[in-house]
Amino acid sequence: MLQDRNGGVWLADYSEVSKYDPTTKSFHVFPHLPDDPSSCQRGTITFVFEDRAGSIWFSAHSGKGFPLYIRQIHHLNNFP
C-alpha cells in the first residue's frame, strides 16, 4: 500500500492494482488482462514505490516485469 504525493492510495493484490482517489471518493481498478501483456501482470505485488517524477512503480513476485503507472494518461503499463 502507498499514499502518493497527490493523496491517492494504491492497493495491490494477486490480480489487480487499485487506486483510491480521496477527492472523488472513488476507486479505479487496473486488472490483469490475460491477452494484454502491457496490463498489470498476475502475481503478488511485493513493492510499491513513487519515484521523484511522481511515477508509481510496482514489483510483482511473478518476475514478469515492472508495472508503471503513467499519471499523464492515467494508464498502467508493464515493462518486461
Side-chain angles (χ1 to χ4, degrees):
M1 185 169 78
L2 169 80
Q3 184 170 16
D4 67 28
R5 66 181 69 186
N6 295 328
V9 178
W10 293 85
L11 307 165
D13 66 17
Y14 184 74
S15 62
E16 66 188 23
V17 170
S18 300
K19 178 187 176 195
Y20 174 71
D21 184 339
T23 306
T24 61
K25 297 182 177 157
S26 63
F27 278 92
H28 184 87
V29 178
F30 301 91
H32 167 69
L33 303 171
D35 295 330
D36 183 356
S38 71
S39 74
C40 182
Q41 294 302 299
R42 184 173 293 266
T44 304
I45 301 291
T46 57
F47 189 72
V48 182
F49 176 76
E50 181 175 16
D51 67 19
R52 283 184 242 165
S55 298
I56 309 295
W57 293 87
F58 304 89
S59 174
H61 183 70
S62 66
K64 294 181 179 178
F66 293 93
L68 167 68
Y69 173 70
I70 304 169
R71 190 180 307 274
Q72 295 82 356
I73 59 174
H74 194 61
H75 181 75
L76 193 70
N77 196 11
N78 190 60
F79 290 91

